[in-house]
Amino acid sequence: MPATTGSARRVAVLRCIVAALVVTVLLAGLVVLVFWLVVRPKPIEYSVARAAVRRFHVTAPPGGGGGATLNASFYLTLAADNPNRRVSMRYKSVAVYVHYGAGEVAPQLAVADVPDFHQPSRNETRLEVRAVARSAPVPDWTARELEHDRSDGEVGVEVRVTAIVHFLVGGVKFRHYNMRAICSPVVIGLSPSSAKSFRGVPCDVAIS
Ligand SMILES: *[C@@H]1O[C@H](CO)[C@@H](O)[C@H](O)[C@H]1NC(C)=O
Ligand SMILES: *[C@@H]1O[C@H](CO)[C@@H](O)[C@H](O)[C@H]1NC(C)=O
């Protein structure tokens, strides 16, 4: 008899533990669901709203012996849109890169750092960026294509933005994420009047 009581008790204890686990998991799921419904996170959006280039000079590679360089000032206006009602953001280590062409092999022409900033909820922040190439070394083939673009009157670049982002919900800061936005192709006219006809270029944003 005592043995049966003992095993019955063990079964009862086990049942209790299982029930507690199930309730805990259900509660955790409910908390996540309610959080999601209340916060309703929406993806952040980036675009290049304006773009111009000034002081654009390429040195042709002397006798094809290498050493081609570029001078150029890229003026970019980036529109960062946070459509979320309850999520604000803190941006750190923001950098904007201008690459020639597109894709993995596209050589970098210029880079600019952007000061850290805080973005409230439901806000569009415009970042005015000046990325300067000062005697920047470029591959010979790039120099030749840039020279060609100069006579055509427009240059096609890829703008990349990297940043560290903290999300804040109701004053609570979540762990940081790496943000990467790629905007391509950004075709910039070289004549001073062409900035007016520039159409916005949307960016692909990835958060990891
Ligand atoms: C680029 O600018 C530097 C001075 O900042 C100058 O020495 C150099 O000759 C320029 N290169 C071209 C291709 O204009
Ligand atoms: C977005 O937030 C920034 C920084 O707080 C502010 O300067 C700007 O006016 C805001 N823009 C809009 C459209 O609310």
Side-chain angles (χ1 to χ4, degrees), residues 47-53 74-78 97-102 109 149 154-160 182-189 198-203:
S47 64
V48 179
R50 293 155 71 86
V53 61
F74 296 92
Y75 294 87
L76 305 167
T77 304
L78 296 166
Y97 302 86
V98 177
H99 285 254
Y100 184 67
L109 301 180
D149 293 346
E154 60 181 30
V155 57
V157 297
E158 181 169 283
V159 175
R160 301 179 188 170
I182 295 183
C183 329
S184 185
V186 179
V187 179
I188 313 174
F198 183 82
R199 298 245 187 91
V201 178
C203 312

Side-chain angles (χ1 to χ4, degrees), residues 146-169:
L146 284 168
E147 194 53 53
H148 195 256
D149 293 346
R150 204 175 58 79
S151 51
D152 279 356
E154 60 181 30
V155 57
V157 297
E158 181 169 283
V159 175
R160 301 179 188 170
V161 186
T162 60
I164 294 174
V165 193
H166 284 285
F167 293 94
L168 291 97
V169 180

Side-chain angles (χ1 to χ4, degrees), residues 56-157:
F56 186 87
H57 295 286
V58 195
T59 49
T69 62
L70 169 74
N71 281 356
S73 299
F74 296 92
Y75 294 87
L76 305 167
T77 304
L78 296 166
D81 187 23
N82 173 15
N84 289 286
R85 255 196 308 165
R86 293 192 171 84
V87 184
S88 68
M89 277 161 223
R90 226 183 272 288
Y91 279 93
K92 277 203 236 164
S93 308
V94 187
V96 178
Y97 302 86
V98 177
H99 285 254
Y100 184 67
E104 284 299 314
V105 295
Q108 183 181 313
L109 301 180
V111 59
D113 290 327
V114 177
D116 297 355
F117 65 99
H118 175 253
Q119 182 169 35
S121 54
R122 278 226 170 134
N123 172 273
E124 186 188 85
T125 295
R126 296 227 156 189
L127 305 170
E128 305 287 346
V129 176
R130 186 172 68 119
V132 178
R134 206 171 278 118
S135 300
V138 289
D140 287 357
W141 66 267
T142 307
R144 276 191 290 275
E145 291 195 11
L146 284 168
E147 194 53 53
H148 195 256
D149 293 346
R150 204 175 58 79
S151 51
D152 279 356
E154 60 181 30
V155 57
V157 297

